[in-house]
């Protein structure tokens, strides 16, 4: 089974590059398609440097059907991990059409190309964002999807499309039915412990961890803590942070599960990938100060529009059906973020 060839869309990106690394180390052959709209080839050069193994890179857009057809003709792909997409919530509110066109239309083109090549196993990057504001702060997979922004709606739509193509195959009793794992990530942070690959955001980061780390290294002057009056123990927002290496290991577990009994007649199933516990903004700041010895200059600022007080995963289904759970601690997430930041103060530039 480890001789499978995996096509990784968006493989040059933050999570994709870590996935390529773990896949190569686990013995898979890896093919990447990425248009480099939010990444650099250098990430993949480093993945090959760390592993001592090579992967095949196609600089192409997933909306380009002809390019995808060539890839499926040239490579004997078994399974696709689909990371390619735009991911900034604020930008998706300003440019919704661009997000639907890239994420939803792009996924449709990819699904069509897969269907045409009779490659019908996929692991899809979904997000906890699809839940919106559910009845409890611990999210369970059966909660209804109710995304509250265009980015989240692109993820929910692609989930729906994938469920529908899978159902169609089951109704038709297809010989080679779709087998799909929808992985709903909570808050991925951290980096590979080599410090050679990591998250390289364009411009000023939106997310907490890259922001804290750029304050620590002196690139940014001060962190704004968005709200200290939430109904949480210290008043700041609580999230379920997950080490990116734990996260990508969940994808490898999902690939294995697609071969097993659970998916044998074809299926499309959603899984939360999170730790099942959360940390507040101030807990992240103090862990960063303790682990790195740096002082984080911060101020309390107003709440950020659209933020929830607290949410975290119920990760029980992923443990039961994929045999996956997080292994790394908050200290690992901080130490690995810091190693990447200090070794690469300008990212991949
Ligand atoms: P990223 O931007 O680093 O990686 C995405 C990659 O996809 C980039 O390399 C980009 O160049 C590529 N890409 C985008 N559109 C493309 C297209 N049309 N054709 C080809 N390549 C294209 O983001 P990431 O953090 O690695 O996220 C990967 C996936 O996980 C995304 O789908 C994202 O929505 C999802 N996700 C991310 C998070 C997170 O916090 N990082 C959380 C939940 C879900
Ligand atoms: C955001 C996205 C979500 C995406 C996730 C991971 C929004 C509304 N949601 O989630 O769709 O899946 O990133 O990429 O953008 N914080 C600060 N100061 C900062 C930055 C953040 O106090 O400068 C706080 C936030 O208010 C929040 C916590 O830190 O309480 C985490 O924020 P962030 O890293 O942006 O993740 P989410 O908001 O959970």
């Amino acid at each position: 089974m480890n001789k499978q060839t995996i096509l990784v869309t968006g493989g040059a990106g933050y999570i994709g590059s870590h996935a390529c690394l773990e896949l190569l180390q686990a013995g898979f052959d890896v093919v990447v398609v990425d248009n480099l709209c939010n990444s650099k080839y250098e990430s993949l050069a480093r993945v090959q440097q760390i592993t001592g193994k090579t992967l095949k890179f196609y600089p192409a857009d997933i909306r380009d059907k002809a390019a995808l057809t060539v890839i499926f003709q040239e490579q004997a792909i078994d399974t696709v991990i689909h990371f390619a997409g735009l991911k900034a919530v604020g930008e998706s509110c300003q440019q919704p059409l661009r997000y639907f066109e890239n994420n939803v239309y792009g996924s449709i083109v990819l699904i069509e190309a897969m269907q045409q090549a009779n490659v019908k196993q996929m692991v899809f990057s979904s997000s906890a964002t699809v839940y919106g504001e559910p009845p409890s702060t611990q999210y369970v997979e059966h909660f209804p999807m109710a995304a509250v922004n265009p980015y989240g709606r692109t993820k929910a739509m692609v989930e729906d499309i994938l469920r529908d193509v899978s159902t169609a195959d089951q109704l038709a009793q297809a010989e080679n039915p779709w087998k799909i794992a929808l992985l709903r990530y909570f808050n991925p942070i951290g980096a590979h412990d080599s410090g050679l690959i990591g998250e390289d955001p364009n411009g000023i980061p939106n997310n907490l961890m890259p922001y804290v780390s750029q304050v620590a290294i002196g690139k940014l002057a001060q962190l704004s803590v968005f709200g200290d009056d939430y109904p949480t123990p210290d008043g700041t927002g609580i999230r379920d942070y997950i080490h990116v290496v734990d996260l990508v290991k969940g994808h490898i577990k999902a690939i294995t599960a697609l071969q097993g009994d659970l998916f044998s007649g074809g299926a499309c199933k959603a899984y939360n990938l999170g730790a099942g516990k959360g940390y507040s903004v101030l807990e992240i700041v103090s862990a960063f100060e303790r682990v790195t010895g740096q002082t984080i200059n911060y101020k309390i600022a107003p709440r950020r529009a659209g933020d929830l007080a607290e949410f975290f995963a119920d990760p029980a289904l992923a443990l039961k059906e994929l045999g996956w759970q997080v292994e790394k601690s908050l200290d690992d997430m901080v130490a690995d973020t810091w190693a990447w930041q200090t070794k690469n103060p300008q990212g991949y530039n």
Side-chain angles (χ1 to χ4, degrees):
M1 193 190 324
N2 276 1
K3 284 293 161 207
Q4 274 200 49
T5 300
I6 312 298
L7 175 64
V8 184
T9 77
Y14 169 46
I15 304 172
S17 56
H18 287 82
C20 290
L21 191 158
E22 293 299 321
L23 286 164
L24 287 172
Q25 281 182 337
F28 293 90
D29 288 329
V30 175
V31 178
V32 170
V33 56
D34 198 306
N35 67 0
L36 303 179
C37 69
N38 196 38
S39 55
K40 300 197 175 64
Y41 178 76
E42 178 63 17
S43 63
L44 294 175
R46 294 193 188 180
V47 163
Q48 295 174 90
Q49 179 194 332
I50 297 163
T51 59
K53 296 183 178 179
T54 54
L55 53 75
K56 175 79 185 158
F57 176 58
Y58 288 88
D61 194 300
I62 57 161
R63 291 166 293 179
D64 182 346
K65 181 77 173 294
L68 293 186
T69 301
V70 169
I71 296 172
F72 284 107
Q73 278 166 356
E74 290 184 355
Q75 307 292 332
I77 307 294
D78 297 291
T79 301
V80 175
I81 307 184
H82 179 27
F83 292 109
L86 303 173
K87 63 166 183 177
V89 172
E91 191 181 64
S92 79
C93 297
Q94 293 151 1
Q95 304 171 22
L97 280 180
R98 182 171 161 238
Y99 270 68
F100 289 113
E101 208 263 339
N102 194 79
N103 294 6
V104 181
Y105 173 68
S107 297
I108 292 173
V109 175
L110 173 68
I111 295 162
E112 280 175 350
M114 289 178 68
Q115 198 135 247
Q116 195 176 296
N118 202 26
V119 174
K120 296 172 79 176
Q121 302 194 133
M122 184 192 277
V123 177
F124 173 61
S125 288
S126 188
S127 170
T129 307
V130 298
Y131 292 111
E133 296 183 39
S136 123
T137 52
Q138 185 166 29
Y139 293 3
V140 191
E141 287 85 350
H142 63 71
F143 284 178
M145 292 198 293
V148 295
N149 54 60
Y151 164 70
R153 280 189 279 276
T154 70
K155 292 290 171 191
M157 284 182 188
V158 175
E159 282 205 11
D160 278 338
I161 292 167
L162 289 168
R163 261 186 290 273
D164 286 345
V165 296
S166 169
T167 303
D169 265 6
Q170 284 164 54
L171 289 172
Q173 298 185 317
E175 219 168 272
N176 177 29
W178 277 97
K179 298 176 179 181
I180 302 164
L182 311 168
L183 303 184
R184 295 175 178 165
Y185 313 160
F186 281 67
N187 288 55
I189 59 171
H192 187 254
D193 61 12
S194 62
L196 288 175
I197 59 170
E199 186 171 11
D200 184 17
N202 271 329
I204 296 174
N206 296 311
N207 296 121
L208 179 65
M209 198 55 153
Y211 205 105
V212 169
S213 132
Q214 292 196 14
V215 171
I217 204 156
K219 278 177 84 177
L220 295 170
Q222 189 177 49
L223 170 73
S224 291
V225 174
F226 296 141
D228 69 345
D229 56 354
Y230 284 108
T232 59
D234 66 20
T236 65
I238 293 180
R239 294 291 181 273
D240 184 336
Y241 297 94
I242 172 174
H243 195 296
V244 65
V245 172
D246 277 338
L247 180 75
V248 298
K249 285 183 174 166
H251 294 62
I252 295 181
K253 293 281 192 183
I255 291 172
T256 306
L258 293 183
Q259 324 299 316
D261 291 346
L262 263 178
F263 286 84
S264 64
C268 178
K269 294 178 66 97
Y271 297 95
N272 288 338
L273 294 188
K277 68 174 285 201
Y279 293 101
S280 74
V281 177
L282 291 180
E283 283 174 323
I284 295 288
V285 169
S286 80
F288 209 96
E289 291 186 326
R290 180 172 43 75
V291 171
T292 67
Q294 305 295 309
T295 301
I296 306 299
N297 179 19
Y298 72 85
K299 65 168 185 204
I300 304 299
R303 292 181 179 191
R304 181 172 67 178
D307 274 355
L308 299 177
E310 174 177 15
F311 64 80
F312 50 99
D314 178 342
L317 191 67
L319 177 59
K320 182 169 168 241
E321 297 194 354
L322 306 181
W324 173 88
Q325 61 187 337
V326 298
E327 289 168 3
K328 293 185 181 276
S329 66
L330 177 58
D331 284 14
D332 296 328
M333 300 188 232
V334 171
D336 294 339
T337 301
W338 189 235
W340 155 253
Q341 181 72 72
T342 47
K343 284 188 182 175
N344 306 273
Q346 306 305 327
Y348 288 115
N349 282 326

